[in-house]
mmCIF file of all heavy atoms in Angstrom:
data_model
loop_
_atom_site.group_PDB
_atom_site.id
_atom_site.type_symbol
_atom_site.label_atom_id
_atom_site.label_comp_id
_atom_site.label_asym_id
_atom_site.label_seq_id
_atom_site.Cartn_x
_atom_site.Cartn_y
_atom_site.Cartn_z
ATOM 1 N N LEU A 12 -3.536 -6.300 -13.817
ATOM 2 C CA LEU A 12 -2.368 -5.490 -13.449
ATOM 3 C C LEU A 12 -2.369 -5.201 -11.948
ATOM 4 O O LEU A 12 -1.305 -5.184 -11.313
ATOM 5 C CB LEU A 12 -2.368 -4.186 -14.238
ATOM 6 C CG LEU A 12 -1.035 -3.443 -14.299
ATOM 7 C CD1 LEU A 12 0.034 -4.318 -14.939
ATOM 8 C CD2 LEU A 12 -1.188 -2.156 -15.074
ATOM 9 N N ALA A 13 -3.563 -4.991 -11.381
ATOM 10 C CA ALA A 13 -3.646 -4.773 -9.937
ATOM 11 C C ALA A 13 -3.188 -6.015 -9.177
ATOM 12 O O ALA A 13 -2.457 -5.927 -8.183
ATOM 13 C CB ALA A 13 -5.078 -4.415 -9.549
ATOM 14 N N ALA A 14 -3.607 -7.200 -9.641
ATOM 15 C CA ALA A 14 -3.180 -8.441 -8.991
ATOM 16 C C ALA A 14 -1.679 -8.643 -9.137
ATOM 17 O O ALA A 14 -1.010 -9.122 -8.210
ATOM 18 C CB ALA A 14 -3.937 -9.627 -9.594
ATOM 19 N N ALA A 15 -1.128 -8.282 -10.298
ATOM 20 C CA ALA A 15 0.316 -8.427 -10.510
ATOM 21 C C ALA A 15 1.101 -7.559 -9.535
ATOM 22 O O ALA A 15 2.100 -8.005 -8.944
ATOM 23 C CB ALA A 15 0.667 -8.063 -11.952
ATOM 24 N N MET A 16 0.656 -6.319 -9.362
ATOM 25 C CA MET A 16 1.342 -5.425 -8.426
ATOM 26 C C MET A 16 1.091 -5.833 -6.983
ATOM 27 O O MET A 16 1.960 -5.660 -6.116
ATOM 28 C CB MET A 16 0.876 -3.985 -8.647
ATOM 29 C CG MET A 16 1.309 -3.369 -9.969
ATOM 30 S SD MET A 16 3.058 -2.957 -10.025
ATOM 31 C CE MET A 16 3.124 -1.566 -8.912
ATOM 32 N N GLY A 17 -0.092 -6.375 -6.712
ATOM 33 C CA GLY A 17 -0.408 -6.757 -5.344
ATOM 34 C C GLY A 17 0.196 -8.083 -4.924
ATOM 35 O O GLY A 17 0.607 -8.245 -3.773
ATOM 36 N N PHE A 18 0.251 -9.060 -5.862
ATOM 37 C CA PHE A 18 0.739 -10.394 -5.529
ATOM 38 C C PHE A 18 2.181 -10.636 -5.947
ATOM 39 O O PHE A 18 2.793 -11.611 -5.494
ATOM 40 C CB PHE A 18 -0.124 -11.465 -6.209
ATOM 41 C CG PHE A 18 -1.578 -11.410 -5.843
ATOM 42 C CD1 PHE A 18 -2.533 -11.899 -6.708
ATOM 43 C CD2 PHE A 18 -1.995 -10.853 -4.640
ATOM 44 C CE1 PHE A 18 -3.878 -11.858 -6.384
ATOM 45 C CE2 PHE A 18 -3.330 -10.798 -4.306
ATOM 46 C CZ PHE A 18 -4.272 -11.299 -5.185
ATOM 47 N N GLY A 19 2.699 -9.793 -6.846
ATOM 48 C CA GLY A 19 4.007 -10.076 -7.431
ATOM 49 C C GLY A 19 5.101 -10.274 -6.404
ATOM 50 O O GLY A 19 5.874 -11.239 -6.464
ATOM 51 N N GLY A 20 5.161 -9.370 -5.438
ATOM 52 C CA GLY A 20 6.191 -9.488 -4.411
ATOM 53 C C GLY A 20 6.032 -10.747 -3.594
ATOM 54 O O GLY A 20 7.009 -11.440 -3.289
ATOM 55 N N GLY A 21 4.780 -11.088 -3.231
ATOM 56 C CA GLY A 21 4.536 -12.297 -2.461
ATOM 57 C C GLY A 21 4.837 -13.555 -3.254
ATOM 58 O O GLY A 21 5.340 -14.546 -2.701
ATOM 59 N N LEU A 22 4.533 -13.545 -4.558
ATOM 60 C CA LEU A 22 4.835 -14.705 -5.396
ATOM 61 C C LEU A 22 6.341 -14.951 -5.466
ATOM 62 O O LEU A 22 6.805 -16.089 -5.339
ATOM 63 C CB LEU A 22 4.261 -14.496 -6.804
ATOM 64 C CG LEU A 22 2.738 -14.496 -6.924
ATOM 65 C CD1 LEU A 22 2.321 -14.178 -8.348
ATOM 66 C CD2 LEU A 22 2.161 -15.839 -6.497
ATOM 67 N N VAL A 23 7.098 -13.877 -5.679
ATOM 68 C CA VAL A 23 8.555 -14.016 -5.727
ATOM 69 C C VAL A 23 9.092 -14.535 -4.405
ATOM 70 O O VAL A 23 9.943 -15.443 -4.355
ATOM 71 C CB VAL A 23 9.200 -12.655 -6.081
ATOM 72 C CG1 VAL A 23 10.711 -12.712 -5.922
ATOM 73 C CG2 VAL A 23 8.839 -12.256 -7.505
ATOM 74 N N ARG A 24 8.580 -13.985 -3.311
ATOM 75 C CA ARG A 24 9.023 -14.418 -1.981
ATOM 76 C C ARG A 24 8.735 -15.897 -1.759
ATOM 77 O O ARG A 24 9.615 -16.659 -1.330
ATOM 78 C CB ARG A 24 8.298 -13.572 -0.939
ATOM 79 C CG ARG A 24 8.520 -14.000 0.506
ATOM 80 C CD ARG A 24 7.395 -13.461 1.370
ATOM 81 N NE ARG A 24 6.105 -14.052 1.010
ATOM 82 C CZ ARG A 24 4.934 -13.479 1.247
ATOM 83 N NH1 ARG A 24 4.876 -12.296 1.829
ATOM 84 N NH2 ARG A 24 3.806 -14.089 0.901
ATOM 85 N N ASP A 25 7.503 -16.335 -2.061
ATOM 86 C CA ASP A 25 7.126 -17.722 -1.790
ATOM 87 C C ASP A 25 7.861 -18.700 -2.689
ATOM 88 O O ASP A 25 8.205 -19.806 -2.259
ATOM 89 C CB ASP A 25 5.609 -17.887 -1.958
ATOM 90 C CG ASP A 25 4.826 -17.175 -0.863
ATOM 91 O OD1 ASP A 25 5.422 -16.896 0.196
ATOM 92 O OD2 ASP A 25 3.634 -16.889 -1.072
ATOM 93 N N VAL A 26 8.100 -18.313 -3.951
ATOM 94 C CA VAL A 26 8.849 -19.199 -4.847
ATOM 95 C C VAL A 26 10.283 -19.360 -4.367
ATOM 96 O O VAL A 26 10.838 -20.469 -4.346
ATOM 97 C CB VAL A 26 8.802 -18.655 -6.287
ATOM 98 C CG1 VAL A 26 9.791 -19.393 -7.176
ATOM 99 C CG2 VAL A 26 7.397 -18.778 -6.860
ATOM 100 N N LEU A 27 10.918 -18.270 -3.963
ATOM 101 C CA LEU A 27 12.299 -18.344 -3.492
ATOM 102 C C LEU A 27 12.427 -19.148 -2.201
ATOM 103 O O LEU A 27 13.433 -19.818 -1.966
ATOM 104 C CB LEU A 27 12.864 -16.933 -3.278
ATOM 105 C CG LEU A 27 13.090 -16.111 -4.537
ATOM 106 C CD1 LEU A 27 13.549 -14.701 -4.170
ATOM 107 C CD2 LEU A 27 14.117 -16.770 -5.447
ATOM 108 N N LEU A 28 11.388 -19.102 -1.364
ATOM 109 C CA LEU A 28 11.419 -19.826 -0.094
ATOM 110 C C LEU A 28 10.841 -21.235 -0.201
ATOM 111 O O LEU A 28 10.850 -21.978 0.777
ATOM 112 C CB LEU A 28 10.649 -19.040 0.972
ATOM 113 C CG LEU A 28 11.252 -17.704 1.399
ATOM 114 C CD1 LEU A 28 10.323 -16.983 2.371
ATOM 115 C CD2 LEU A 28 12.621 -17.911 2.042
ATOM 116 N N GLY A 29 10.327 -21.590 -1.385
ATOM 117 C CA GLY A 29 9.718 -22.910 -1.544
ATOM 118 C C GLY A 29 8.394 -23.041 -0.821
ATOM 119 O O GLY A 29 7.964 -24.155 -0.501
ATOM 120 N N ASN A 30 7.729 -21.934 -0.578
ATOM 121 C CA ASN A 30 6.445 -21.924 0.125
ATOM 122 C C ASN A 30 5.328 -22.038 -0.906
ATOM 123 O O ASN A 30 4.725 -21.042 -1.313
ATOM 124 C CB ASN A 30 6.308 -20.636 0.942
ATOM 125 C CG ASN A 30 5.039 -20.611 1.763
ATOM 126 O OD1 ASN A 30 4.464 -21.651 2.076
ATOM 127 N ND2 ASN A 30 4.585 -19.418 2.115
ATOM 128 N N LEU A 31 5.062 -23.260 -1.359
ATOM 129 C CA LEU A 31 4.123 -23.495 -2.456
ATOM 130 C C LEU A 31 2.956 -24.360 -1.980
ATOM 131 O O LEU A 31 3.140 -25.262 -1.148
ATOM 132 C CB LEU A 31 4.854 -24.182 -3.614
ATOM 133 C CG LEU A 31 6.039 -23.398 -4.203
ATOM 134 C CD1 LEU A 31 6.755 -24.248 -5.240
ATOM 135 C CD2 LEU A 31 5.570 -22.085 -4.795
ATOM 136 N N PRO A 32 1.749 -24.115 -2.524
ATOM 137 C CA PRO A 32 1.410 -22.988 -3.399
ATOM 138 C C PRO A 32 1.519 -21.654 -2.666
ATOM 139 O O PRO A 32 1.413 -21.628 -1.433
ATOM 140 C CB PRO A 32 -0.028 -23.272 -3.814
ATOM 141 C CG PRO A 32 -0.575 -24.144 -2.730
ATOM 142 C CD PRO A 32 0.569 -24.957 -2.232
ATOM 143 N N PRO A 33 1.723 -20.559 -3.390
ATOM 144 C CA PRO A 33 1.906 -19.258 -2.735
ATOM 145 C C PRO A 33 0.715 -18.882 -1.855
ATOM 146 O O PRO A 33 -0.410 -19.329 -2.070
ATOM 147 C CB PRO A 33 2.052 -18.291 -3.920
ATOM 148 C CG PRO A 33 2.534 -19.139 -5.042
ATOM 149 C CD PRO A 33 1.874 -20.471 -4.849
ATOM 150 N N ALA A 34 1.000 -18.043 -0.862
ATOM 151 C CA ALA A 34 -0.033 -17.640 0.100
ATOM 152 C C ALA A 34 -1.201 -16.943 -0.577
ATOM 153 O O ALA A 34 -2.342 -17.050 -0.116
ATOM 154 C CB ALA A 34 0.582 -16.724 1.163
ATOM 155 N N ALA A 35 -0.935 -16.229 -1.684
ATOM 156 C CA ALA A 35 -2.002 -15.506 -2.374
ATOM 157 C C ALA A 35 -3.056 -16.447 -2.932
ATOM 158 O O ALA A 35 -4.208 -16.030 -3.149
ATOM 159 C CB ALA A 35 -1.409 -14.668 -3.506
ATOM 160 N N PHE A 36 -2.701 -17.730 -3.174
ATOM 161 C CA PHE A 36 -3.652 -18.695 -3.715
ATOM 162 C C PHE A 36 -4.203 -19.635 -2.646
ATOM 163 O O PHE A 36 -5.108 -20.425 -2.920
ATOM 164 C CB PHE A 36 -2.984 -19.520 -4.820
ATOM 165 C CG PHE A 36 -2.463 -18.687 -5.952
ATOM 166 C CD1 PHE A 36 -1.232 -18.948 -6.520
ATOM 167 C CD2 PHE A 36 -3.207 -17.633 -6.450
ATOM 168 C CE1 PHE A 36 -0.744 -18.172 -7.571
ATOM 169 C CE2 PHE A 36 -2.736 -16.854 -7.497
ATOM 170 C CZ PHE A 36 -1.500 -17.127 -8.064
ATOM 171 N N ARG A 37 -3.683 -19.561 -1.435
ATOM 172 C CA ARG A 37 -4.190 -20.399 -0.351
ATOM 173 C C ARG A 37 -5.257 -19.689 0.478
ATOM 174 O O ARG A 37 -6.124 -20.327 1.063
ATOM 175 C CB ARG A 37 -3.044 -20.826 0.573
ATOM 176 C CG ARG A 37 -2.031 -21.733 -0.068
ATOM 177 C CD ARG A 37 -1.213 -22.454 1.002
ATOM 178 N NE ARG A 37 -0.616 -21.531 1.964
ATOM 179 C CZ ARG A 37 0.617 -21.047 1.854
ATOM 180 N NH1 ARG A 37 1.362 -21.366 0.801
ATOM 181 N NH2 ARG A 37 1.100 -20.222 2.762
ATOM 182 N N ASP A 38 -5.174 -18.367 0.527
ATOM 183 C CA ASP A 38 -6.099 -17.594 1.356
ATOM 184 C C ASP A 38 -6.913 -16.670 0.451
ATOM 185 O O ASP A 38 -6.348 -15.799 -0.229
ATOM 186 C CB ASP A 38 -5.311 -16.772 2.379
ATOM 187 C CG ASP A 38 -6.206 -16.147 3.430
ATOM 188 O OD1 ASP A 38 -7.417 -16.011 3.177
ATOM 189 O OD2 ASP A 38 -5.689 -15.781 4.496
ATOM 190 N N PRO A 39 -8.233 -16.821 0.384
ATOM 191 C CA PRO A 39 -9.052 -15.983 -0.506
ATOM 192 C C PRO A 39 -9.046 -14.503 -0.137
ATOM 193 O O PRO A 39 -9.438 -13.661 -0.950
ATOM 194 C CB PRO A 39 -10.460 -16.576 -0.363
ATOM 195 C CG PRO A 39 -10.450 -17.289 0.948
ATOM 196 C CD PRO A 39 -9.057 -17.794 1.126
ATOM 197 N N SER A 40 -8.619 -14.169 1.079
ATOM 198 C CA SER A 40 -8.622 -12.767 1.479
ATOM 199 C C SER A 40 -7.680 -11.929 0.624
ATOM 200 O O SER A 40 -7.898 -10.725 0.443
ATOM 201 C CB SER A 40 -8.245 -12.638 2.960
ATOM 202 O OG SER A 40 -6.967 -13.202 3.206
ATOM 203 N N TYR A 41 -6.642 -12.538 0.063
ATOM 204 C CA TYR A 41 -5.726 -11.802 -0.811
ATOM 205 C C TYR A 41 -6.441 -11.367 -2.093
ATOM 206 O O TYR A 41 -6.314 -10.208 -2.525
ATOM 207 C CB TYR A 41 -4.513 -12.677 -1.157
ATOM 208 C CG TYR A 41 -3.537 -12.855 -0.019
ATOM 209 C CD1 TYR A 41 -3.693 -13.886 0.897
ATOM 210 C CD2 TYR A 41 -2.457 -11.998 0.139
ATOM 211 C CE1 TYR A 41 -2.805 -14.058 1.942
ATOM 212 C CE2 TYR A 41 -1.556 -12.161 1.183
ATOM 213 C CZ TYR A 41 -1.738 -13.194 2.083
ATOM 214 O OH TYR A 41 -0.854 -13.351 3.122
ATOM 215 N N LEU A 42 -7.182 -12.294 -2.710
ATOM 216 C CA LEU A 42 -7.917 -11.952 -3.928
ATOM 217 C C LEU A 42 -9.003 -10.923 -3.650
ATOM 218 O O LEU A 42 -9.221 -10.003 -4.439
ATOM 219 C CB LEU A 42 -8.535 -13.217 -4.530
ATOM 220 C CG LEU A 42 -7.574 -14.172 -5.238
ATOM 221 C CD1 LEU A 42 -8.278 -15.466 -5.595
ATOM 222 C CD2 LEU A 42 -6.990 -13.516 -6.484
ATOM 223 N N ILE A 43 -9.682 -11.070 -2.511
ATOM 224 C CA ILE A 43 -10.725 -10.108 -2.153
ATOM 225 C C ILE A 43 -10.116 -8.722 -1.957
ATOM 226 O O ILE A 43 -10.676 -7.706 -2.393
ATOM 227 C CB ILE A 43 -11.461 -10.575 -0.884
ATOM 228 C CG1 ILE A 43 -12.207 -11.877 -1.158
ATOM 229 C CG2 ILE A 43 -12.414 -9.504 -0.385
ATOM 230 C CD1 ILE A 43 -12.847 -12.494 0.070
ATOM 231 N N THR A 44 -8.966 -8.660 -1.301
ATOM 232 C CA THR A 44 -8.290 -7.378 -1.074
ATOM 233 C C THR A 44 -7.906 -6.720 -2.389
ATOM 234 O O THR A 44 -8.099 -5.510 -2.580
ATOM 235 C CB THR A 44 -7.035 -7.584 -0.212
ATOM 236 O OG1 THR A 44 -7.422 -8.166 1.031
ATOM 237 C CG2 THR A 44 -6.321 -6.266 0.038
ATOM 238 N N ALA A 45 -7.376 -7.510 -3.332
ATOM 239 C CA ALA A 45 -7.002 -6.959 -4.638
ATOM 240 C C ALA A 45 -8.229 -6.467 -5.395
ATOM 241 O O ALA A 45 -8.183 -5.417 -6.068
ATOM 242 C CB ALA A 45 -6.258 -8.016 -5.451
ATOM 243 N N ALA A 46 -9.354 -7.202 -5.278
ATOM 244 C CA ALA A 46 -10.576 -6.782 -5.962
ATOM 245 C C ALA A 46 -11.107 -5.470 -5.391
ATOM 246 O O ALA A 46 -11.531 -4.570 -6.135
ATOM 247 C CB ALA A 46 -11.633 -7.885 -5.853
ATOM 248 N N VAL A 47 -11.083 -5.340 -4.075
ATOM 249 C CA VAL A 47 -11.550 -4.098 -3.447
ATOM 250 C C VAL A 47 -10.658 -2.930 -3.855
ATOM 251 O O VAL A 47 -11.150 -1.829 -4.161
ATOM 252 C CB VAL A 47 -11.570 -4.256 -1.912
ATOM 253 C CG1 VAL A 47 -11.839 -2.917 -1.239
ATOM 254 C CG2 VAL A 47 -12.616 -5.275 -1.504
ATOM 255 N N ALA A 48 -9.344 -3.148 -3.880
ATOM 256 C CA ALA A 48 -8.426 -2.081 -4.297
ATOM 257 C C ALA A 48 -8.686 -1.673 -5.738
ATOM 258 O O ALA A 48 -8.614 -0.483 -6.081
ATOM 259 C CB ALA A 48 -6.985 -2.547 -4.125
ATOM 260 N N THR A 49 -9.018 -2.648 -6.596
ATOM 261 C CA THR A 49 -9.318 -2.332 -7.993
ATOM 262 C C THR A 49 -10.552 -1.455 -8.101
ATOM 263 O O THR A 49 -10.579 -0.483 -8.879
ATOM 264 C CB THR A 49 -9.513 -3.626 -8.793
ATOM 265 O OG1 THR A 49 -8.362 -4.456 -8.665
ATOM 266 C CG2 THR A 49 -9.744 -3.320 -10.263
ATOM 267 N N LEU A 50 -11.588 -1.770 -7.331
ATOM 268 C CA LEU A 50 -12.809 -0.968 -7.366
ATOM 269 C C LEU A 50 -12.558 0.444 -6.839
ATOM 270 O O LEU A 50 -13.019 1.431 -7.422
ATOM 271 C CB LEU A 50 -13.905 -1.653 -6.550
ATOM 272 C CG LEU A 50 -14.429 -2.985 -7.104
ATOM 273 C CD1 LEU A 50 -15.438 -3.597 -6.145
ATOM 274 C CD2 LEU A 50 -15.047 -2.777 -8.482
ATOM 275 N N VAL A 51 -11.818 0.538 -5.729
ATOM 276 C CA VAL A 51 -11.543 1.855 -5.143
ATOM 277 C C VAL A 51 -10.740 2.713 -6.100
ATOM 278 O O VAL A 51 -11.068 3.887 -6.357
ATOM 279 C CB VAL A 51 -10.804 1.693 -3.798
ATOM 280 C CG1 VAL A 51 -10.323 3.046 -3.282
ATOM 281 C CG2 VAL A 51 -11.708 1.027 -2.777
ATOM 282 N N ALA A 52 -9.675 2.143 -6.647
ATOM 283 C CA ALA A 52 -8.834 2.915 -7.559
ATOM 284 C C ALA A 52 -9.536 3.182 -8.879
ATOM 285 O O ALA A 52 -9.290 4.205 -9.522
ATOM 286 C CB ALA A 52 -7.520 2.172 -7.806
ATOM 287 N N GLY A 53 -10.433 2.256 -9.301
ATOM 288 C CA GLY A 53 -11.179 2.492 -10.542
ATOM 289 C C GLY A 53 -12.054 3.723 -10.450
ATOM 290 O O GLY A 53 -12.202 4.480 -11.417
ATOM 291 N N VAL A 54 -12.640 3.951 -9.298
ATOM 292 C CA VAL A 54 -13.434 5.162 -9.100
ATOM 293 C C VAL A 54 -12.541 6.396 -9.101
ATOM 294 O O VAL A 54 -12.927 7.471 -9.592
ATOM 295 C CB VAL A 54 -14.222 5.061 -7.776
ATOM 296 C CG1 VAL A 54 -14.951 6.362 -7.487
ATOM 297 C CG2 VAL A 54 -15.206 3.899 -7.836
ATOM 298 N N ALA A 55 -11.324 6.255 -8.581
ATOM 299 C CA ALA A 55 -10.410 7.390 -8.467
ATOM 300 C C ALA A 55 -9.700 7.709 -9.773
ATOM 301 O O ALA A 55 -8.935 8.680 -9.828
ATOM 302 C CB ALA A 55 -9.366 7.121 -7.382
ATOM 303 N N LEU A 56 -9.940 6.923 -10.831
ATOM 304 C CA LEU A 56 -9.245 7.186 -12.097
ATOM 305 C C LEU A 56 -9.608 8.549 -12.678
ATOM 306 O O LEU A 56 -8.822 9.152 -13.394
ATOM 307 C CB LEU A 56 -9.571 6.084 -13.115
ATOM 308 C CG LEU A 56 -8.891 4.741 -12.900
ATOM 309 C CD1 LEU A 56 -9.353 3.738 -13.939
ATOM 310 C CD2 LEU A 56 -7.386 4.906 -12.953
ATOM 311 N N VAL A 57 -10.826 9.009 -12.379
ATOM 312 C CA VAL A 57 -11.237 10.329 -12.870
ATOM 313 C C VAL A 57 -10.318 11.414 -12.330
ATOM 314 O O VAL A 57 -10.054 12.417 -12.985
ATOM 315 C CB VAL A 57 -12.698 10.598 -12.473
ATOM 316 C CG1 VAL A 57 -13.141 11.972 -12.967
ATOM 317 C CG2 VAL A 57 -13.600 9.507 -13.020
#
């Protein structure tokens, strides 16, 4: 769900512009950023 919220806008943008494969799958920093956000927010769930 974190990846969907983090990448969803970029996926829609890249598909509409024909920028394939999407930037989220070309650069690993996007996945790393989503993973870090998941860990940070997971701690804050309390």
